Amino acid sequence: MADTTAEIPRIAPDVLARYEAVIGLEVHAQLDTVTKAFCGCSTKFGAAPNSNTCPVCLGLPGALPVLNKHALELALRASLAIHCKIQPRSRFARKNYFYPDLPKGYQISMYELPLALAGSIEIEVEGAKKRIGVTRLHMEDDAGKSLHEGFPDSDRWSYIDFNRCGVPLIEIVSEPDLRTPAEAYAYLNTLKQILEYTEVSDCNMEEGSLRCDANVSVRLRGAPKFGTKAEVKNLNSFRYLAHALEYEIERQIGVLESGGAISQETRLWNVAAGRTEPMRSKEFAHDYRYFPDPDLLPVTVSESTVDGVRKAMPELPDAKIARFLSDYGITPYDAGVLTATRALAEYFEATVKAGAPAKAASNWISGELLRRLNDAGKEIADSPLAPVALAELLAKVEKGEITAASGKKVFAKMFETGKSASEIIAAEGFSQISDTGAIEKIAREIVAKNAENLAKYRAGNEGVFKFFVGQVMRETRGQANPQIVNEIVKRVLGE
Ligand SMILES: [Zn+2]
């Protein structure tokens, strides 16, 4: 085998442009259950090593697995959400291989009879929509974790944590319909959004709840056949996915351009080195000797069960966007931002329900609130402002009790202190100044101090008008009613 780990030469853009990539993704998502797939052990992340184990998930002789009903319900919900056809009968098989973190000696996984087939996910890249086929969705259980570093004697020993053994997963396999890293990114992002909306999985990538492998090949544009594919594993963040695909596509084009052939192999994304590398052959087996698990009954799903899951389905992102457009009259862009997560969409709707005008709520949430949450590294669930508190502030701006400029300052204080808009306005005197006498006094002082600009205005330089308005606003710390300031300045300058 050629040394494929060597640094690849950069390939000229015109050469790259002659090729097209063909990408399919295999996504593993942990089902959001309290207990494991086939036993009563907790699935809680971060528990003491090997504390969440029992004879069933450790594969001890004589222990019998029983399918977790809620795990099946979540898998069915995911299947319907991505438009798959649920199979009336599916079956768990044993996928046999040896690895220290797999005490049973096999993984339980649906193989020849998966739970659901033939679905699709619609993605959007740079405004263009595209339907990506989903080949299948099946259920399986997870393996444990080998810990090769982080212990004083890690140079001599590896440690094993079996807590993940038997944690329920679904695997969603796409058709090879993706053509660019950007499409793969959008697909994973859309799928993650759907799984989060339906509460099938928390999709926490740091905790391993969402993992992704990619099948990648390249071919000359217009070529009728797919090229030989390589499987790239360990793409456990959106950044890794994009980088690894870009690297792998360029690597394969480089091999073909230099007259070589792509070998069908499994490769790992090496984060530190920033490249894909072939896995050592002993790290994966070609033959898993699948056979039906004799300890588990086939899974039968009736029409009425499917109907029940369909009826209980929460509103999905696409439907929510359509409803936001028609109910609230906001822009498609804002609807996209506000429905990015179910929690954010619910926050927006609660704000409107508490009395805020929809457009103002949309602007403030997608602008001020998201910016400050982002700066503070917080999620919407941790927002120091409840929807009711934001609605109170927006009502005050709407009624003209405070100016929009003061509103932003009050918002900042609310975000920092968690106090209400009324409390902050009362304490800090942000109330809008609508006292025409006071504003006129300030305006006259400013005009008197700026004789030169006054002369310019009188000579026909209309632009100087803005200067005077700005000065008055500054003098009143942005609290003067802008409309009244405009009227008064115009009058005073015209005298
Ligand atoms: Zn167990």
Side-chain angles (χ1 to χ4, degrees), residues 272-412:
R275 62 183 178 220
T276 64
E277 294 169 349
M279 267 175 116
R280 290 193 297 278
S281 60
K282 68 176 181 187
E283 280 179 337
F284 69 101
H286 288 287
D287 182 5
Y288 293 116
R289 294 177 296 123
Y290 281 98
F291 62 85
D293 192 314
D295 287 345
L296 285 158
L297 291 167
V299 178
T300 53
V301 183
S302 67
E303 277 295 325
S304 67
T305 302
V306 174
D307 282 346
V309 173
R310 189 173 280 124
K311 283 200 184 94
M313 182 74 74
E315 187 176 39
L316 292 170
D318 284 351
K320 205 179 275 293
I321 287 177
R323 186 168 61 79
F324 276 20
L325 291 177
S326 67
D327 284 9
Y328 301 117
I330 57 178
T331 65
Y333 176 81
D334 286 341
V337 171
L338 293 172
T339 54
T341 66
R342 196 168 150 184
L344 185 61
E346 282 167 5
Y347 186 100
F348 166 73
E349 292 208 279
T351 307
V352 174
K353 208 174 163 204
K359 278 187 184 169
S362 164
N363 289 339
W364 282 71
I365 292 170
S366 57
E368 291 294 298
L369 182 62
L370 285 186
R371 186 169 56 76
R372 286 190 181 272
L373 286 172
N374 193 35
D375 288 350
K378 286 181 171 168
E379 299 289 328
I380 188 73
D382 313 316
S383 168
L385 272 81
V388 177
L390 179 60
E392 187 205 356
L393 172 67
L394 298 192
K396 288 185 184 301
V397 175
E398 193 72 12
K399 278 188 242 153
E401 285 177 37
I402 55 172
T403 62
S406 296
K408 287 192 178 168
K409 289 182 197 161
V410 175
F411 180 91

Side-chain angles (χ1 to χ4, degrees), residues 1-291:
M1 196 198 298
D3 179 10
T4 41
T5 62
E7 203 51 54
I8 55 160
R10 302 299 298 182
I11 295 167
D14 61 314
V15 177
L16 284 180
R18 286 197 281 117
Y19 286 86
E20 136 181 288
V22 174
I23 304 163
L25 294 187
E26 295 173 5
V27 177
H28 288 87
Q30 180 178 334
L31 296 171
D32 199 2
T33 56
V34 176
T35 57
K36 293 187 181 180
F38 304 108
C39 64
C41 291
S42 168
T43 56
K44 201 166 171 54
F45 181 84
N50 300 307
S51 58
N52 294 336
T53 57
C54 74
V56 173
C57 55
L58 290 176
L60 300 188
L64 278 177
V66 177
L67 178 60
N68 180 335
K69 192 177 169 209
H70 188 50
L72 176 62
E73 285 164 2
L74 292 178
L76 291 171
R77 200 188 292 167
S79 304
L80 291 181
I82 56 173
H83 315 293
C84 280
K85 288 184 189 68
I86 290 170
Q87 302 304 293
R89 188 168 180 276
S90 49
R91 186 164 65 189
F92 285 103
R94 291 186 179 180
K95 180 182 182 180
N96 299 279
Y97 65 100
F98 174 78
Y99 206 72
D101 63 15
L102 190 73
K104 296 198 298 292
Y106 57 87
Q107 184 187 15
I108 301 176
S109 177
M110 288 172 169
Y111 182 57
E112 87 289 15
L113 296 176
L115 186 70
L117 296 167
S120 67
I121 294 174
E122 191 175 72
I123 62 165
E124 191 174 327
V125 176
E126 287 168 10
K129 290 190 172 172
K130 183 173 174 183
R131 195 164 286 279
I132 306 301
V134 170
T135 315
R136 57 187 272 157
L137 181 152
H138 66 257
M139 299 180 73
E140 57 187 34
D141 71 351
D142 207 353
K145 201 172 159 86
S146 301
L147 307 165
H148 301 296
E149 46 198 41
F151 296 91
D153 49 0
S154 282
D155 56 331
R156 285 179 296 135
W157 305 98
S158 284
Y159 288 76
I160 300 175
D161 180 1
F162 290 131
N163 281 352
R164 283 198 77 89
C165 281
V167 161
L169 308 176
I170 46 173
E171 179 172 344
I172 297 159
V173 181
S174 87
E175 290 287 317
D177 290 346
L178 302 158
R179 292 291 172 270
T180 62
E183 286 184 5
Y185 188 101
Y187 172 87
L188 186 61
N189 201 31
T190 306
L191 177 56
K192 177 173 183 275
Q193 193 188 25
I194 292 169
L195 296 177
E196 285 172 339
Y197 257 72
T198 49
E199 294 177 341
V200 164
S201 172
D202 66 16
C203 294
N204 187 325
M205 292 182 114
E206 285 84 52
E207 294 179 3
S209 301
L210 190 72
R211 299 177 331 235
C212 182
D213 303 330
N215 288 306
V216 186
S217 63
V218 298
R219 61 179 171 186
L220 283 167
R221 274 182 202 284
K225 278 191 185 164
F226 291 158
T228 305
K229 69 183 176 185
E231 186 182 12
V232 186
K233 286 187 173 288
N234 202 23
L235 307 175
N236 298 331
S237 87
F238 281 95
R239 204 155 42 94
Y240 297 168
L241 174 72
H243 288 173
L245 290 177
E246 277 160 21
Y247 178 93
E248 181 61 18
I249 290 165
E250 201 165 333
R251 182 191 73 83
Q252 292 188 11
I253 294 171
V255 170
L256 295 178
E257 282 291 308
S258 62
I262 305 298
S263 48
Q264 185 156 356
E265 62 184 353
T266 303
R267 300 175 68 88
L268 265 186
W269 172 240
N270 182 326
V271 178
R275 62 183 178 220
T276 64
E277 294 169 349
M279 267 175 116
R280 290 193 297 278
S281 60
K282 68 176 181 187
E283 280 179 337
F284 69 101
H286 288 287
D287 182 5
Y288 293 116
R289 294 177 296 123
Y290 281 98
F291 62 85

